[in-house]
Amino acid sequence: QIQRALRSLCIPLERLHIMKGHMMQDMCKGLSRQTHAQAKVRMLPTYICSTPNGTEKGNFLVVELCQSQVRILLVTLYGDGNMSPQIVYKIFDLPDGITQGEGQALFDFIAQCVSQFLAETTSPDTSSSEERLPLGFVFPFTCKQTQLDKAELLSWSKGFSCSGVVGKDVVQMLQSAINKQELSRVDVVALMNDTVGTLMTCSMEGRPCEIAVVADKGSNCCFMAEAYLVETAEETSGRMCVNTEWGCFGDDGTLNDIFTPYDESVDEDSYNPGEKRFEKLVGTLYLGEIVRHALIALTAEKALFTGTDIAVLKEKGVFTIQHVLDIINNEDGTTDVKRVLEVLGLQPSERDCGRVQQICRAVVGRAATLHAVGLAAILSYMCQTRDLETLMVNVGVDGELYTGYSRFEEILQSVSRLLSPECMATLLPSKDGSGRGAAMVTAVALRLAAQRRAVNEVLGPLRLTRADLEKVQALMRQEMERGLGKHTNATASVRMLPTFVTHTPDGTEQGDFLALDLGGTNFRVLVVRVTKEGISMASEIYVIPVAIMQGTGERLFDHIIDCIVDFQTKQNLMTQTLPLGFTFSFPCQQVGLDKALLLTWTKGFTASGCVGQDVVQLLRDAAQRKQHSGLQVVALLNDTVGTMMSCGYDDPKCEIGLIVGTGTNACYMEEMRNVGTVEGDEGRMCINMEWGAFGDNGCLDHIFTHFDRVVDESTINPGKQRFEKLISGMYLGEIVRQILLVMTEKQLMFQGRPSPKLQTRNIFQTKFLSTIELNGLALRQIRAILHELELDASFEDSVLLREVCQAVSLRAAQLCAAGLAAVVEKMRENRGLDRLSVSVGVDGTLYKLHPCFSQNLQKTLKDLAPNCDVSFHLSEDGSGKGAALVAAVASRAA
Ligand code: ADP
Ligand code: MG
């Protein structure tokens, strides 16, 4: 019988594996928004997102509500890495009956303790000071927390059942009680569970601790989870400490098969049968009871205490955890066992002593093993969700079972290792309970609140309100009108250049064309075949050496002709004269489709003798110099126009072109009657807005931030392309870098130490924003980027960096949307429509590769132009395809 009893208390390894799997499933259930309500393992968010960094400083009060006591602590931190906090504390016993009385009385009592403590411990000069005294409240019951200082009690446990508290905010209750004591300088700033306090206590001395296990009367665990997985909290960045409340694991029946008849008896005897099934197998409140029921059962089966009276065992609670621990901790002999049993009033034989000891060992060993199962589940979960192959982590441990049972640590370590071999847990003992940790949480909360205010101050100017965006939209509209006006054009910052493209494709275009693409990242020559079946092309990239970009115009255009000849030779096209479309992505004053005066060079080109000249003529002159007679230049166009045309070939509604790459620009189909700069009122013409220069006349000065001004000043064209410098790929990384410099200077990041590398211009690339803002990207990847920049980034730095990038890219997308909103609204009004349905052809690597830019752009546009249905199409090779189509449409229209 004894063997059978012992076997039933021993759980086979494969069953432990299954249980670990169930625990992990239940954890996911608790975290998911859909299933949280039904979940047994509640996974409560704690709103604690940071562990201490050692800079915390000041005096902190802690109130720890324990089983039968209130502990009040005053912790002084010196900002010295928390190596030697000064702690003064006092323990107050809870009066009889208060734990079952009125809730108000409990909180009043706690407040009185605080008052008395302060009167006794603080010197007159500190007690009279005006300095606020922040208080952290350790409240070891299940709460629904919605902020660090807002927590609704869900249910009492551990023998507490005060009235009028369940469903109330316990922070508020404590604060009111404290206010009644006229302790007006005491602010309750944080509430936490005792497990969280333990986690923080163990996090001292420069070793972050990310899991805490408390094996006490009850049992619980908390750990730092990736915040985006905690769907019940709004936080998405960084990590958040989650209070698992794993005591309720098994309340849906998953543990039924390992429950022994003794466990069932304990459960039936408890005040909450069927609940907290896991806790009833592992909590020290229950271990003595399990042993007691086992002894009763075995005696009835005549396997123990034969012929003696065991009436004493009938009383609930006589067999305590202390008895159990005394019995098992003596490894050799049974003298202690005999003594304990005799003190209880039993008359054990030598054989009884041995058997009782075996039972006790089995019950306590099982409790330790089950703790290990829970820990293993957390370890594997963390390892998986952090996308790691192996996890190394510190685990804070506390509680009566841990301190009282000599083999607990060994079992916890070895069994969790067996179940989660991919994880390495280092167990850290908690030195003085959760009080010290509570002070840390409170201190961290204050530090973060101050930091938050400072960060908001830095980023505030980058955050645009809806009114700001409406204003930008209105200004864009105004500048558009001025750019179109015959007399106002000269002073408008948005040039609104006519392109002489009067039709978008209708899909019937056909023929073979040559195309040139100059002004993007590469110079290319292409041949484009437009057939009924579709468009095919071949192309070649040619390098334009810097010496040629910045030499004479003649050299540049001669080089271009050389490239064309090379291409035609390779493609066997020398004998044909194909119409040529020239994508020339620099601002031009166009006088005809094939006549365009260069206004200014941009993007590093400075070739002399070109500005003010007709670019098409420059090309023709070069052809003549090179005696290339088979060149028929029919059109010159901007890349925005090419983008619109190439998308227009597939979608007749595409009447807008947008570029968000190195720079930004847009074009759209305007009514001829509105184009004051070109003769004629019939039909439409595509207008190249050159919107990058929007604001160059000062109209956007109110939205430029310090960072924008610094970035602008360090460019080759200060004061120019101001709108572009808020939006496009060439600048966003630089803006982020400037913000990081300021944040570091303000001690908000990198512990106030910038790396020399961060001082280097353009070191922070815009593509980093795309990586950093990827949703769900493991934070260690952000840290890897920062390490590249020789910055030693903490976990919090990474979270902040993401926030900075988001602010910069969001603003860029919103401003782009405000510009587009002005365009689509104008088109709608032009056509006298209630609703406009239109498509935008888009090109540019920033738009295409940034994870949020296009979404943010589209969302903001919908908001700013609610009467327009705008769809976006990515253009494929707008510059090549578009150039051919402009040439084709021109021949069709002619
Ligand atoms: P261009 O505008 O010169 O034709 P692109 O459209 O390819 O060229 O844009 C290039 C710009 O895109 C670069 O200046 C760079 O700032 C930006 N960029 C490159 N990779 C990324 C990325 N992964 N995410 C966001 N922006 C990027
Ligand atoms: Mg381009």
Side-chain angles (χ1 to χ4, degrees), residues 258-271:
I258 67 158
F259 261 63
T260 63
Y262 327 125
D263 300 312
E264 296 295 359
S265 306
V266 171
D267 186 39
E268 281 157 28
D269 266 8
S270 69
Y271 72 96

Side-chain angles (χ1 to χ4, degrees), residues 78-143:
Y78 296 101
D80 60 352
N82 302 319
M83 298 306 276
S84 50
Q86 184 192 316
I87 303 178
V88 187
Y89 72 93
K90 189 167 166 154
I91 291 171
F92 299 84
D93 286 327
L94 287 175
D96 281 344
I98 199 165
T99 56
Q100 276 93 40
E102 266 187 45
Q104 194 58 57
L106 175 68
F107 285 96
D108 284 342
F109 175 76
I110 296 173
Q112 280 157 22
C113 297
V114 172
S115 173
Q116 192 184 333
F117 174 81
L118 285 177
E120 287 170 17
T121 53
T122 48
S123 57
D125 55 303
T126 56
S127 61
S128 64
S129 90
E130 288 296 290
E131 196 197 328
R132 317 286 311 163
L133 197 48
L135 183 150
F137 186 21
V138 181
F139 187 72
F141 302 98
T142 311
C143 289

